[in-house]
Amino acid sequence: MSKDVSPSLKQRLALELERQVRKNDIKLHTLKQLFWECTLRCNLHCKHCGSDCRTTASFQDMPASDFLRVIDNITPHVDTHKVMIIFTGGEPLMRDDLEQIGFELNKREYPWGIVSNGLFLTPERFKNLLRVGLHSATISLDGMEDDHNWMRGHNKSFAKASEAIHMLANTSSIKFDVVTCVNCRNIYSLEQIKEYLISLGVRHWRLFTIFPVGRAAEHPEFQLSDNDFTKVMKFIEATRNEGKINVSYGCEGFLGKYEGKVRNNFYRCNAGIKVASILADGSISACPSIRYKFNQGNIYKDDFWNVWESRYEPFRNRQWTKNGICADCSMYRYCEGNGMHLHDEDGKLMLCHYHRLTE
């Protein structure tokens, strides 16, 4: 790794200020986002799916009443208007009671949204979801038609995702973005994807890369080379400077000299600090991408709010990550061992974004 991937003096000063903000956020640990893994069922079979391979789609969906009991447990302790509830999966639109649950959340004055592949987002379903308070949506688009359909394993996936994006772009009352998983096949089409999204009216676009978990671990060939990973950072920086679409890199890891240039904020992993999740089996965790070893309890045995207030030690004190390549890294003070989802069942860091940068 070349020395010139380190942040500049100006960036370091800003990162030092960010460290102080982070310390205060850890102390307060104010809940801002709650993910609900509302189903493990899906209508696609994506090659890069990060779902934990130990769980299967035969697992029963959590009853809505069980989830809403947790919401009612949280409500006395928070400003409901400032806690975003996000339905994820699996594919949330596989549930036929989303409208009912959305109605109940809206009645309790929580904003809520979905992360979807768009395949089942028909105009009628979209209208019904809006009626009960749908506040935000994220739609996945992993390339132009051939690449996207190949990755998603469905020959209508690209068309349906595009229709969903078009509907969202023409609805002023909803916040939405598009996420793209950059891989060895679609990296050469980023400019084309960008222009396509702009033509659909997309204003916010997030890119991320594949991490070796779940089904994605079966395809090591999806991993970008270090040079290609650096090209993605350069593409994002150039696109942001161009100003036609607000593109950013996901919250996956610390990015050295690209900090403040490829995101709207400096790197931080808010898992367990501002972000929690309820998984399909009732487990209480942080980001739903994090391995099961880091679960902090279960809604069927524990009081959610007590767990949020008194546990999450591995998330809020990450000194345990200072080993391996992190042990002597001068960037550790800003990175603190990378994103929690990048640690395997034994706590070992699977990959480091900073060390992937080449220039």
Side-chain angles (χ1 to χ4, degrees), residues 248-268:
S248 63
Y249 189 65
C251 58
E252 293 183 310
F254 179 76
L255 297 169
K257 73 175 187 177
Y258 292 99
E259 285 298 321
K261 298 179 180 179
V262 295
R263 299 186 184 102
N264 295 336
N265 52 276
F266 287 104
Y267 167 73
R268 64 153 64 186

Side-chain angles (χ1 to χ4, degrees), residues 43-294:
N43 46 17
L44 295 177
H45 189 80
C46 304
K47 294 178 175 63
H48 63 326
C49 181
S51 295
D52 195 311
C53 291
R54 295 180 306 174
T55 58
T56 69
S58 61
F59 197 92
Q60 291 291 318
D61 291 351
M62 181 185 293
S65 58
D66 292 354
F67 173 67
L68 291 170
R69 273 198 297 272
V70 177
I71 296 301
D72 290 337
N73 171 254
I74 294 170
T75 299
H77 306 284
V78 301
D79 180 346
T80 61
H81 303 99
K82 296 181 179 179
V83 180
M84 184 71 187
I85 311 295
I86 303 171
F87 298 161
T88 184
E91 170 53 49
L93 294 176
M94 295 290 287
R95 290 189 69 124
D96 59 11
D97 60 353
L98 279 193
E99 288 84 351
Q100 173 194 343
I101 302 166
F103 174 81
E104 292 296 333
L105 290 176
N106 196 42
K107 188 166 68 174
R108 291 161 172 80
E109 300 186 0
Y110 283 93
W112 62 276
I114 60 172
V115 177
S116 175
N117 58 44
L119 194 64
F120 283 178
L121 192 62
T122 63
E124 182 179 3
R125 191 85 195 267
F126 183 48
K127 185 189 302 182
N128 290 337
L129 291 169
L130 286 173
R131 188 177 295 122
V132 294
L134 179 65
H135 183 81
S136 71
T138 293
I139 303 294
S140 299
L141 192 86
D142 289 325
M144 299 307 291
E145 188 164 12
D146 288 346
D147 290 342
H148 178 88
N149 289 346
W150 170 81
M151 181 65 85
R152 297 277 165 173
H154 194 294
N155 63 6
K156 293 184 178 179
S157 179
F158 178 83
K160 291 297 183 181
S162 297
E163 289 172 12
I165 292 167
H166 180 74
M167 283 190 292
L168 290 163
N170 285 279
T171 307
S172 60
S173 63
I174 193 168
K175 298 178 181 178
F176 85 99
D177 66 355
V178 173
V179 295
T180 297
C181 177
V182 184
N183 57 73
C184 56
R185 179 158 168 162
N186 67 10
I187 187 173
Y188 305 106
S189 306
L190 291 179
E191 283 286 347
Q192 190 178 0
I193 299 167
K194 177 190 75 175
E195 294 301 330
Y196 180 66
L197 293 178
I198 291 171
S199 74
L200 290 178
V202 175
R203 295 182 179 179
H204 300 279
W205 182 29
R206 271 185 296 143
L207 303 183
F208 65 98
T209 47
I210 294 174
F211 52 100
V213 168
R215 199 177 297 142
E218 302 171 9
H219 294 278
E221 71 275 13
F222 288 170
Q223 295 293 322
L224 298 180
S225 68
D226 292 350
N227 283 337
D228 281 346
F229 180 73
T230 304
K231 287 178 184 177
V232 173
M233 297 303 110
K234 290 181 176 180
F235 168 80
I236 295 173
E237 183 180 11
T239 300
R240 288 172 68 88
N241 290 336
E242 188 179 55
K244 294 181 180 179
I245 187 170
N246 185 345
V247 62
S248 63
Y249 189 65
C251 58
E252 293 183 310
F254 179 76
L255 297 169
K257 73 175 187 177
Y258 292 99
E259 285 298 321
K261 298 179 180 179
V262 295
R263 299 186 184 102
N264 295 336
N265 52 276
F266 287 104
Y267 167 73
R268 64 153 64 186
C269 177
N270 281 319
I273 299 168
K274 293 184 177 183
V275 178
S277 68
I278 299 169
L279 303 183
D281 64 353
S283 294
I284 300 170
S285 186
C287 167
S289 296
I290 295 169
R291 306 282 54 82
Y292 276 73
K293 176 180 178 176
F294 295 101

